[in-house]
Amino acid sequence: MPLIRFKPRLLLSLIVVFAIASPLNAQNEKKLRLVPQAAESGKPIFRLLPTEDEQEPGNAVPVLLRITYEQNTFMANVYPRLQEYAEMDVSDPQLAELQFDSFARQIIRAGSMSYADWEYPLYSEKPYLILLPDMQSQRQMAGRGMSGWIRQRLAAGEVTDALQGIRAQISCGRHCAAAPIIVCQLVGAALAHMGLDNLELAMQRDNVPNMYWSLAALPPTLHDLGPVVRWELWASPTRLDEPLPAIGSDAWSKIANEFSEMASEWMDQQYTLEEAAKLKSTLERLAKHDLLGKLGFTADEILKMSTEERVMRWLYMHYCDFRARVEPLAYQDPKSVMAAMLEVEAKDKALLASTGAKQSPLPIVLPKGIVASHNFGRRVKFLQTIEAVRHHLSQHDGNFPESLEVLELPAPNDPFTGEPFEYELTETGARLRQATTEGWGPPLDYELFNNKSTEDK
């Protein structure tokens, strides 16, 4: 019996794929008008995440999921247009059409609650079939809908309400990230970045306080990444329960069949019969070689193994190597994670080249998901630097600093490089940007100006 029960047009993929979409909804290149504003004290003037004593006891998930019940008119006519409102300029009169206040109050309440339990069947027999429509829907309500509402509040000069809405977006992002699934981390990051997008809008208003210390109090990621990494590794199709069956055991046939079934349900690449036969032959050849050389089995032991056992032991060898590389990344700094991500991706590319497989049997995007989770903290430190510049403007008659080193409030380093963000004076103000980092998307690149700098020009 072959390792995988290949059939014509069988859907098969050899990687656990999670969609890594950029969590940033904002443009990477922006122009920001900075209003000089001093940071009033050494403590947060407004908490962008509620502290334990500010939280309402209870589960936020039922609050988030029930707010659209029986809202038939809203769901039919307004819900599909929420992205339009989320992208409108604060001065756009069409913003007044959005009726979202009752939803916003419930989302703010959910953001203030103490925990989120999504009750997903994480350790079921088929964890890869977990459905996440409730999670994805938060992008629309807590994300785009709240963004439209926050713009309404800013247009009306209701700063406190706008800041409460921003806190709710970041808090609901943390609630989404409470589920230890990498997709949930990315949804949570998307919500939090929407909150930071709106904070950028608020920072450009004349009546909004300096949020330097509020940003300084935010964590580097929305949630502990350890449970996420461990669950994703557990849910991998190449994970096997130890101790492994004995050499020559009939149990290996069952293991191979289960892997085959999982592959046909989860994975998305198609193999013809000819491609499948070639892949099977290559896998068996590589398995024999590596079991003898890398795992130390004798030639007689390998002869006792079925094809299924050889290939499954070989796949498990690669899984163990991958797990040893990736599991520690949950607690390493993003610079180290990015270096490991590039190494893991290069090794996987070489594995695919040697086998001729269309995709890998490993959750190869997991390191990139860890980096995406840290991108929240990177953006926070970027905005904190802008607030340090705003404080400097308030102390120096609207003049931009010559460099970040002269700021009265220390500018944090870029977590992805360990170095300061890149800063330079321009004819109209200043430019602040993140360094380009290998393996990651376009960096943020902001032109900063104020009324004084444009008048001087």
Side-chain angles (χ1 to χ4, degrees):
M1 181 182 295
L3 169 66
I4 300 175
R5 296 168 295 185
F6 293 106
K7 302 176 182 179
R9 307 292 294 170
L10 174 66
L11 287 178
L12 176 69
S13 169
L14 295 180
I15 186 171
V16 181
V17 178
F18 300 105
I20 295 284
S22 171
L24 289 175
N25 296 290
Q27 295 176 348
N28 292 87
E29 297 182 2
K30 278 188 178 181
K31 294 183 179 182
L32 262 61
R33 181 185 76 92
L34 300 190
V35 177
Q37 184 67 259
E40 296 181 4
S41 68
K43 62 181 182 180
I45 193 170
F46 181 86
R47 290 278 182 180
L48 291 170
L49 278 175
T51 59
E52 288 77 7
D53 61 299
E54 295 173 323
Q55 293 173 3
E56 174 186 338
N59 185 8
V61 174
V63 179
L64 290 171
L65 297 185
R66 73 163 64 103
I67 57 178
T68 57
Y69 285 2
E70 298 186 4
Q71 300 292 330
N72 298 335
T73 301
F74 172 86
M75 294 301 291
N77 301 325
V78 182
Y79 185 87
R81 298 187 57 206
L82 289 180
Q83 184 164 352
E84 296 177 36
Y85 292 109
E87 295 174 350
M88 286 181 183
D89 189 88
V90 172
S91 61
D92 194 323
Q94 292 185 75
L95 269 177
E97 300 173 359
L98 177 62
Q99 301 296 314
F100 199 80
D101 196 67
S102 62
F103 301 114
R105 299 302 171 185
Q106 289 302 308
I107 292 170
I108 290 172
R109 181 191 170 214
S112 72
M113 298 184 78
S114 56
Y115 71 97
D117 185 356
W118 297 88
E119 297 189 358
Y120 294 136
L122 296 174
Y123 294 97
S124 61
E125 291 185 3
K126 298 181 179 180
Y128 47 87
L129 294 182
I130 293 175
L131 300 177
L132 303 172
D134 50 349
M135 181 68 63
Q136 297 289 1
S137 69
Q138 300 310 311
R139 293 176 184 265
Q140 194 74 342
M141 293 297 289
R144 300 179 182 104
M146 280 300 287
S147 290
W149 185 82
I150 290 166
R151 282 162 165 73
Q152 283 184 334
R153 306 282 73 74
L154 290 174
E158 298 170 359
V159 172
T160 300
D161 279 355
L163 291 178
Q164 286 179 345
I166 291 167
R167 175 167 64 183
Q169 288 184 308
I170 298 174
S171 299
C172 288
R174 182 167 65 170
H175 285 329
C176 289
I181 304 173
I182 198 65
V183 170
C184 299
Q185 303 299 306
L186 299 179
V187 173
L191 288 183
H193 279 284
M194 289 185 199
L196 297 179
D197 290 343
N198 293 318
L199 184 59
E200 283 182 2
L201 286 177
M203 287 161 52
Q204 298 178 75
R205 312 293 290 185
D206 294 338
N207 55 347
V208 173
N210 191 301
M211 305 295 287
Y212 176 90
W213 295 108
S214 300
L215 289 160
L218 288 176
T221 61
L222 292 171
H223 241 282
D224 180 5
L225 296 176
V228 180
V229 173
R230 289 189 289 273
W231 183 85
E232 293 288 354
L233 289 170
W234 176 86
S236 170
T238 45
R239 173 191 61 85
L240 299 180
D241 293 329
E242 293 196 24
L244 299 179
I247 294 173
S249 170
D250 292 339
W252 287 103
S253 178
K254 179 182 178 183
I255 290 172
N257 286 338
E258 289 175 350
F259 177 81
S260 173
E261 181 180 352
M262 183 182 298
S264 64
E265 291 178 333
W266 180 307
M267 303 179 184
D268 60 358
Q269 287 292 333
Q270 298 180 354
Y271 287 75
T272 65
L273 286 174
E274 182 179 354
E275 289 173 334
K278 183 178 180 181
L279 176 60
K280 174 178 174 290
S281 175
T282 303
L283 291 177
E284 185 172 15
R285 174 177 54 80
L286 292 171
K288 286 181 179 180
H289 177 272
D290 288 345
L291 291 176
L292 184 64
K294 295 182 178 180
L295 293 183
F297 287 100
T298 67
D300 287 341
E301 287 173 328
I302 294 173
L303 284 174
K304 294 177 183 178
M305 298 178 188
S306 63
T307 297
E308 290 85 355
E309 179 177 353
R310 292 178 196 131
V311 176
M312 290 309 302
R313 283 187 183 274
W314 182 79
L315 289 173
Y316 185 61
M317 175 192 74
H318 285 283
Y319 165 81
C320 290
D321 179 73
F322 178 82
R323 181 182 63 190
R325 291 170 178 267
V326 171
E327 190 168 3
L329 301 183
Y331 301 108
Q332 293 184 10
D333 63 271
K335 186 178 179 181
S336 300
V337 176
M338 294 187 75
M341 175 187 74
L342 296 174
E343 291 179 5
V344 166
E345 290 176 349
K347 186 169 183 177
D348 187 69
K349 185 177 180 180
L351 178 65
L352 293 180
S354 68
T355 61
K358 296 181 178 181
Q359 290 182 307
S360 165
L362 303 169
I364 201 66
V365 296
L366 190 50
K368 186 162 285 186
I370 299 172
V371 176
S373 297
H374 279 287
N375 197 35
F376 166 75
R378 189 189 199 194
R379 178 120 182 256
V380 167
K381 297 307 180 186
F382 190 79
L383 295 184
Q384 189 184 351
T385 300
I386 293 175
E387 288 297 65
V389 173
R390 278 219 298 158
H391 179 84
H392 181 92
L393 295 175
S394 73
Q395 307 299 306
H396 297 274
D397 193 31
N399 294 312
F400 280 89
E402 294 289 331
S403 68
L404 298 181
E405 287 77 11
V406 303
L407 292 171
E408 291 80 3
L409 296 176
N413 286 343
D414 183 344
F416 279 27
T417 66
E419 302 292 333
F421 292 107
E422 298 174 0
Y423 175 87
E424 62 181 351
L425 291 176
T426 66
E427 292 184 1
T428 57
R431 185 180 182 188
L432 184 71
R433 57 180 174 266
Q434 299 170 340
T436 300
T437 48
E438 185 181 359
W440 195 241
L444 295 181
D445 190 344
Y446 285 14
E447 290 185 36
L448 310 177
F449 65 96
N450 61 13
N451 291 340
K452 176 178 170 50
S453 62
T454 53
E455 290 170 1
D456 291 345
K457 184 174 185 291

